[in-house]
Amino acid sequence: MKNVVILGSTGSIGKNTLEVLSNFADRFSVLGLSANTNIRLLEEQIKRFRPKMAVVTDEESFQRFPQNYDTEILWGMDGLKRLASHPEVDLVINALVGSVGLLPSLETVKSGKNLAIANKESLVMAGELLIGKAKEKGREVLPIDSEHSAIQQCLLSGKKEEVGRLILTASGGPFLRKSREELKQITVKEALSHPIWEMGKKITIDSATLMNKGLEVIEAHWLFGIPSDRIEVMIHPQSIIHSMVEFVDGSVIAQMSLPNMKLPIQYALLYPQRVFSNNTSLDLTKTGQLTFLEPDTEKFPCLGLAYKALEMGGTAPAVLNAANEVAVEAFLACGIGFTDIQKIVQKTLKQHQVKLNPQLDDILNADKWARQTAKELCCESEIKR
Ligand code: MG
């Protein structure tokens, strides 16, 4: 029996993870859960899974949360860290959204636990620290992101030195066929309707700008130790191939399935085992055509910015991530336009003085600086509108 903790249990990945876990109740016990403001759902989850501990990160929600359960209720970042490092925990599933996931991720690997990671921001901000610490402790960082789960599965076909390139697929988001002019007028509502995946707001906007794919390139670099010039992105609107690996002999291995997050979640939870699941099986005669095209980096500059940040190295990816979080939030609040997101990220990155081989403090300082800078830039764009 493995004890698991889910950080961010009320989000899209968190809810799917609990469903997968309930299919394997004989193998896993839920020791901890966490939510930010969705305390109504957290209460339901507590009643159903009876965890030992639960964390509410939002202060006001914490104060309103009933304390009449056998479950110990903790508050804030300290609560998340306590949950992640609890001595009885075997596996931490980090499904938090955004940079708030970083410290709990680090706490998990520092305490020698396995980490299943859906919070790509942790790897973008501090991939080197995180993977370095996990290696030192002899622990695994297992991807839950569907593309990285696909790559992890494809990589089993050869040795690391036989890998030619990684090919990350992208659905292309809802605006694949819009012109640059049309992109300027995109509303929040349009940007929030993703054609394939049902996800949280932040990642849905990131998918529409292709920043999500950019963050995934950085994520793949740290997870699999492959340099960025051997990581490519391909648009594949049907999202049946979740990613591919080309080996040096020219053989390309692809992982396919219907788009459903339960599969990568189950793979990470049970890794390296494969176990029967009632996920709908893929019938290629029914999916019809699978198509592929090159990403348009002029129309979607965020993808190029992510490559650039990875090339700049050090604190640059943390700055990219922070500026993007601020810009996405401003867009969701209707403060800036859709195409302002890329401008804010680009300008913030340009103003940043990179610190190479950063320690945690350097990363946190860069994150703070980038947020401040991006906020100021958002205000300027707002005035212009
Ligand atoms: Mg993904």
Side-chain angles (χ1 to χ4, degrees):
M1 202 74 168
K2 270 190 186 161
N3 287 325
V4 299
V5 153
I6 304 162
L7 307 179
S9 61
T10 57
S12 166
I13 296 287
K15 286 190 278 188
N16 274 309
T17 303
L18 282 172
E19 275 186 54
V20 174
L21 286 171
S22 51
N23 293 338
F24 298 101
D26 53 330
R27 292 173 178 242
F28 297 100
S29 156
V30 177
L31 190 128
L33 298 171
S34 99
N36 185 30
T37 54
N38 193 350
I39 51 177
R40 195 189 48 79
L41 180 57
L42 182 64
E43 266 198 87
E44 276 174 35
Q45 292 177 342
I46 287 176
K47 281 181 201 155
R48 184 164 163 212
F49 293 95
R50 311 210 158 268
K52 200 170 199 167
M53 299 154 98
V55 179
V56 180
T57 41
D58 176 64
E59 186 166 12
E60 199 200 318
S61 307
F62 171 73
Q63 275 155 1
R64 282 193 290 131
F65 200 83
Q67 296 277 352
N68 51 1
Y69 296 103
D70 293 336
T71 302
E72 186 186 356
I73 310 294
L74 307 169
W75 172 64
M77 182 53 77
D78 283 344
L80 291 177
K81 288 203 271 194
R82 251 186 79 191
L83 210 52
S85 60
H86 192 281
E88 286 169 46
V89 171
D90 300 300
L91 173 68
V92 174
I93 295 132
N94 187 342
L96 295 165
V97 178
S99 55
V100 68
L102 174 61
L103 296 178
S105 283
L106 281 169
E107 196 68 23
T108 302
V109 291
K110 270 192 212 158
S111 1
K113 319 277 185 200
N114 286 329
L115 172 65
I117 195 160
N119 176 260
K120 61 192 73 169
E121 291 86 351
S122 309
L123 281 162
V124 170
M125 293 173 77
E128 197 169 7
L129 282 183
L130 202 57
I131 298 295
K133 191 46 91 177
K135 273 194 184 140
E136 188 189 308
K137 296 274 180 182
R139 292 293 163 180
E140 304 252 19
V141 178
L142 302 158
I144 286 186
D145 214 344
S146 59
E147 294 78 0
H148 304 78
S149 173
I151 288 175
Q152 191 184 28
Q153 296 176 56
C154 297
L155 284 173
L156 295 175
S157 293
K159 298 195 189 89
K160 189 170 173 207
E161 58 272 25
E162 295 165 351
V163 172
R165 59 186 175 133
L166 309 182
I167 305 160
L168 289 169
T169 55
S171 71
F175 309 135
L176 189 56
R177 287 176 180 89
K178 292 247 191 260
S179 71
R180 277 172 93 172
E181 266 322 291
E182 285 173 308
L183 284 180
K184 289 185 186 160
Q185 311 302 328
I186 293 297
T187 64
V188 171
K189 198 175 163 218
E190 287 169 309
L192 282 178
S193 49
H194 194 277
I196 305 270
W197 299 98
E198 230 189 276
M199 310 172 286
K201 283 185 184 174
K202 158 81 170 39
I203 185 168
T204 304
I205 303 300
D206 284 348
S207 298
T209 60
L210 289 198
M211 180 58 96
N212 182 53
K213 211 48 56 178
L215 299 177
E216 288 180 356
V217 168
I218 303 175
E219 188 185 2
H221 167 72
W222 292 119
L223 278 171
F224 306 115
I226 301 289
S228 62
D229 60 354
R230 291 201 282 134
I231 305 176
E232 283 170 33
V233 171
M234 201 181 271
I235 305 290
H236 167 45
Q238 298 82 12
S239 295
I240 295 293
I241 294 185
H242 298 296
S243 277
M244 305 176 237
V245 174
E246 185 182 72
F247 288 90
V248 285
D249 59 358
S251 187
V252 176
I253 308 293
Q255 187 267 334
M256 294 190 259
S257 62
L258 290 171
N260 181 340
M261 282 312 294
K262 292 202 181 81
L263 180 58
I265 291 170
Q266 174 175 327
Y267 190 74
L269 288 174
L270 297 172
Y271 178 83
Q273 271 184 305
R274 288 193 188 271
V275 176
F276 175 81
S277 88
N278 52 10
N279 283 331
T280 322
S281 86
L282 172 66
D283 181 349
L284 285 171
T285 64
K286 293 210 172 76
T287 50
Q289 271 196 337
L290 300 184
T291 55
F292 305 92
L293 56 153
E294 247 182 85
D296 184 341
T297 47
E298 295 212 344
K299 219 162 75 179
F300 300 104
C302 286
L303 181 58
L305 288 172
Y307 273 100
K308 183 155 184 244
L310 188 52
E311 207 178 283
M312 288 162 76
T315 45
V319 165
L320 171 96
N321 177 65
N324 180 57
E325 278 186 27
V326 169
V328 169
E329 237 172 78
F331 170 69
L332 285 171
C334 303
I336 62 168
F338 183 74
T339 48
D340 291 330
I341 298 175
Q342 74 219 24
K343 287 184 202 153
I344 302 233
V345 175
Q346 184 177 24
K347 283 185 184 166
T348 310
L349 203 54
K350 207 171 167 188
Q351 289 178 30
H352 179 58
Q353 289 212 319
V354 177
K355 175 136 199 218
L356 294 174
N357 306 312
Q359 293 306 300
L360 180 60
D361 279 350
D362 303 319
I363 291 165
L364 297 177
N365 286 338
D367 174 89
K368 202 170 151 196
W369 172 86
R371 273 167 210 280
Q372 190 56 39
T373 307
K375 266 181 202 153
E376 284 161 20
L377 290 166
C378 283
C379 290
E380 282 173 29
S381 318
E382 224 168 316
I383 294 161
K384 263 187 261 150
R385 273 160 72 86

